Amino acid sequence: MKSHLSKGVLAITMLVLSSVACSAVSLLGGGPLLQDDFNSGSGDWGLGTDTDSSVEYSGGGLRMQAFRDNYIVWSTPNNEEFENVHVEVTVNASGTDATTAFGIICDQQSVTDSGYYMVMTPAGEYAIAKAALAQTDVFLTNNDQWASSDAITQDAASYRVGADCGNGRLTLYVDGKQIASVTDATYVKGAVGLQIWSGDNISSVDVTFDDFVVTKLTTK
């Protein structure tokens, strides 16, 4: 299958991070560890706009834009480390090019080029990947290539993307359906976040995230 997005050494926009926890952190057992509906626009996500990208609160969501091709834009809500978690977010992708990838970051290390990410495209492609400082990212799914899944609705206006990160396993979900699962224990805890990745020959990408939540995985 022809890959719609090139995989290699990726440009990453560095955003200002806050050490203060995001709104609505639950200290009670069974509740969310972290959640944000972005309605107030007063959370602590890294924000910023330059000639290559933008991350800003907009219309009750967290809006990410890339203004060049083959470019990753990402943000995290704080510097807190999480271990053995499930992360979910709604992605409003109406009008987004089918080669745009978007998804969830987990176990991101203090050296921010290192960690895992799980992404999908409106064309139905997906990848679970591992990043390490000064190394080419490795797709842990489909022999280091983009894969396609009939379980992903193509060109939907929105998607509910989920990820399990912990207990030595990484699992990607889309709209409540398990898309792929792999084992890897290189990283066991770290920051969580969101990202977009523009395709080849795409000059502009515009995606909005909403209803972000982090909960604890059951230890198996």
Side-chain angles (χ1 to χ4, degrees), residues 65-69 95-97 100 198-199 201-206:
Q65 297 173 276
F67 307 129
R68 52 180 287 191
D69 62 2
T96 298
D97 186 272
T100 299
S198 59
N201 305 315
I202 302 300
S203 60
S204 181
V205 168
D206 192 340

Side-chain angles (χ1 to χ4, degrees), residues 38-80:
F38 305 111
N39 285 331
S40 66
S42 60
D44 299 297
W45 292 79
L47 305 175
T49 298
D50 57 26
T51 57
D52 293 322
S53 64
S54 176
V55 180
E56 304 288 352
Y57 296 116
S58 178
L62 185 69
R63 184 183 186 186
M64 292 192 184
Q65 297 173 276
F67 307 129
R68 52 180 287 191
D69 62 2
N70 197 28
Y71 197 75
I72 282 182
V73 185
W74 58 269
S75 182
T76 62
N78 51 45
N79 291 329
E80 184 175 353

Side-chain angles (χ1 to χ4, degrees), residues 36-39 59-62 88-92 159-160 194 208-213:
D36 199 338
D37 61 11
F38 305 111
N39 285 331
L62 185 69
E88 284 196 10
V89 69
T90 296
V91 186
N92 297 313
Y159 298 93
R160 186 67 176 171
L194 301 170
T208 299
F209 295 95
D210 202 358
D211 298 323
F212 176 82
V213 62

Side-chain angles (χ1 to χ4, degrees), residues 45-213:
W45 292 79
L47 305 175
T49 298
D50 57 26
T51 57
D52 293 322
S53 64
S54 176
V55 180
E56 304 288 352
Y57 296 116
S58 178
L62 185 69
R63 184 183 186 186
M64 292 192 184
Q65 297 173 276
F67 307 129
R68 52 180 287 191
D69 62 2
N70 197 28
Y71 197 75
I72 282 182
V73 185
W74 58 269
S75 182
T76 62
N78 51 45
N79 291 329
E80 184 175 353
E81 290 191 336
F82 294 90
E83 183 176 5
N84 297 332
V85 292
H86 176 77
V87 185
E88 284 196 10
V89 69
T90 296
V91 186
N92 297 313
S94 180
T96 298
D97 186 272
T99 64
T100 299
F102 42 76
I104 292 166
I105 298 168
C106 66
D107 293 340
Q108 187 184 61
Q109 306 300 289
S110 56
V111 177
T112 53
D113 284 351
S114 302
Y116 299 114
Y117 57 89
M118 303 183 213
V119 292
M120 57 154 289
T121 76
E125 292 191 312
Y126 69 88
I128 298 175
K130 177 170 63 175
L133 182 64
Q135 297 182 31
T136 300
D137 294 5
V138 176
F139 287 7
L140 302 174
T141 43
N142 197 40
N143 296 317
D144 202 23
Q145 301 293 323
W146 287 94
S148 295
S149 173
D150 292 338
I152 299 174
T153 302
Q154 294 195 19
D155 298 316
S158 67
Y159 298 93
R160 186 67 176 171
V161 181
D164 289 343
C165 303
N167 303 317
R169 180 166 291 277
L170 305 164
T171 304
L172 171 66
Y173 304 88
V174 178
D175 295 329
K177 303 172 185 177
Q178 181 175 315
I179 304 301
S181 188
V182 299
T183 57
D184 192 275
T186 303
Y187 312 116
V188 297
K189 63 180 179 179
V192 296
L194 301 170
Q195 75 169 46
I196 63 173
W197 182 357
S198 59
D200 291 337
N201 305 315
I202 302 300
S203 60
S204 181
V205 168
D206 192 340
V207 171
T208 299
F209 295 95
D210 202 358
D211 298 323
F212 176 82
V213 62

